[in-house]
């Protein structure tokens, strides 16, 4: 499984990165499948550096804050108005129950048909897995101030070198403060893609919103994750600070996500 960091800046796009968006690629033995985790502000332009839009097999939204979902509006335009027509059917989109109506409202559309002609919307059910090609995605409700917010556990099963299937696990925190569900979503993950928007000492008074590097490291330890990749870092948070915080706790393979970088899982 390959992870491409399309966007990793928290809360709104930064000068060097769009907001949250992650492209995952895996092969089922016949073809490459591509899924997108979140498609936040500014991501639609950048993702075209790494894939044709028609090659996106499904989109999975952690929650409905604009920095995680708003460029679905632009993708609606790309699907609906492409000269010559869109080459594939509706794009499957999994998200919170309000996703279809929220996106229609954001674009100023009537709720019926809204964007249903471009996207095949499905609602998350807590801890109910969704299968797309070689991917299985399971949502875990986490601790963030919005109606529904999920960490996403992604398992990809691909043929190994000897032909036997091999399953790798990436866990994506979405936005969350510390909670048991986050740790459960990342249990034994090969790569834990975890937000670290806050800094210790600076943001201690703000509860139940975001993690610090320290709390991300604690979650990774509790989960038994093998690697920790910090993301969703706003322009006013120091990547060096949150990485130092995380390393002091996790003591293993810690890095900070950078837009445009590819990682093997």
């Amino acid at each position: 499984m390959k992870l491409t960091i399309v966007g990793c800046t928290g809360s709104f796009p930064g000068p060097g990165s769009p907001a949250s968006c992650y492209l995952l690629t895996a092969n089922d033995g016949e073809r490459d499948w591509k899924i997108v985790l979140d498609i936040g502000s500014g991501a639609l332009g950048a993702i075209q550096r790494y894939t044709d839009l028609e090659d996106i097999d499904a989109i999975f939204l952690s929650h409905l804050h604009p920095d995680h979902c708003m460029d679905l509006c632009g993708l609606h335009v790309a699907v609906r108005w492409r000269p010559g027509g869109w080459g594939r059917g509706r794009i499957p989109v999994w998200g919170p129950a309000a996703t279809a109506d929220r996106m229609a409202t954001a674009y100023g559309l009537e709720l019926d048909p809204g964007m249903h002609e471009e996207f095949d919307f499905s609602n998350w059910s807590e801890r109910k897995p969704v299968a797309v090609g070689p991917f299985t995605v399971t949502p875990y409700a986490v601790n963030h101030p919005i109606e529904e917010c999920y960490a996403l556990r992604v398992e990809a099963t691909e043929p190994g070198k000897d032909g036997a299937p091999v399953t790798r696990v990436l866990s994506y925190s979405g936005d969350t403060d510390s909670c048991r569900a986050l740790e459960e979503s990342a249990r034994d993950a090969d790569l834990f893609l975890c937000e670290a928007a806050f800094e210790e000492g600076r943001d201690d008074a703000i509860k139940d919103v975001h993690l610090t590097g320290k709390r991300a490291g604690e979650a990774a330890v509790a989960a038994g994750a093998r690697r920790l990749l910090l993301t969703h870092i706003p322009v006013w948070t120091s990547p060096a600070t949150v990485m130092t915080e995380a390393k002091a706790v996790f003591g293993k393979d810690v890095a900070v996500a950078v837009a445009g970088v590819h990682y093997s899982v």
Side-chain angles (χ1 to χ4, degrees):
M1 174 167 45
K2 182 172 77 171
L3 164 66
T4 300
I5 307 296
V6 179
C8 54
T9 299
S11 301
F12 55 88
S17 172
S20 296
C21 185
Y22 310 93
L23 175 66
L24 293 177
T25 305
N27 192 287
D28 65 354
E30 298 182 1
R31 71 169 178 92
D32 286 341
W33 290 72
K34 296 180 179 181
I35 65 172
V36 176
L37 308 183
D38 286 342
I39 185 162
S41 315
L44 187 62
I47 200 172
Q48 294 172 78
R49 300 171 188 161
Y50 316 111
T51 184
D52 290 338
L53 297 180
E54 287 189 349
D55 289 340
I56 295 173
D57 290 294
I59 297 171
F60 299 89
L61 301 179
S62 65
H63 66 293
L64 297 180
H65 280 151
D67 59 318
H68 292 261
C69 69
M70 193 49 63
D71 270 24
L72 200 65
C73 289
L75 185 56
H76 151 78
V77 175
V79 175
R80 183 170 184 81
W81 298 109
R82 177 168 179 154
W86 186 250
R88 299 183 67 176
R90 295 185 298 163
I91 301 174
V93 176
W94 275 266
T99 300
D101 288 356
R102 189 77 58 85
M103 293 297 98
T105 299
Y107 202 75
L109 301 173
E110 296 292 333
L111 300 185
D112 185 12
M115 297 183 182
H116 289 277
E117 294 175 348
E118 293 74 44
F119 302 122
D120 182 9
F121 291 102
S122 297
N123 300 336
W124 288 126
S125 293
E126 165 75 358
R127 305 199 185 198
K128 182 178 179 180
V130 171
V132 174
F135 295 102
T136 300
V137 183
T138 306
Y140 290 72
V142 290
N143 183 17
H144 193 61
I146 194 170
E147 296 92 341
E148 294 181 59
C149 190
Y150 299 95
L152 303 178
R153 181 181 178 89
V154 182
E155 299 168 86
T157 301
E158 300 180 277
K161 293 181 179 179
D162 60 357
V166 176
T167 299
R168 302 296 184 196
V169 178
L170 177 145
S171 180
Y172 168 47
S173 67
D175 281 4
T176 184
D177 202 345
S178 301
C179 62
R180 180 65 63 84
L182 175 66
E183 299 167 6
E184 293 171 351
S185 74
R187 185 73 62 205
D188 299 323
D190 296 288
L191 180 63
F192 186 18
L193 178 64
C194 188
E195 71 117 293
F198 283 174
E199 294 181 11
E200 292 289 319
R202 186 192 69 186
D203 303 304
D204 295 352
I206 308 173
K207 306 298 183 183
D208 303 319
V209 180
H210 289 299
L211 296 164
T212 61
K214 177 176 181 286
R215 296 202 293 270
E218 290 170 345
V221 170
R226 294 174 178 82
R227 298 161 61 195
L228 176 60
L229 184 60
L230 302 175
T231 192
H232 195 273
I233 299 174
V235 296
W236 47 65
T237 292
S238 165
T241 295
V242 294
M243 185 165 68
T244 298
E245 292 175 0
K247 278 188 172 181
V249 177
F250 189 58
K252 298 179 184 178
D253 190 345
V254 181
V256 171
V258 176
V261 174
H262 308 279
Y263 299 85
S264 294
V265 181

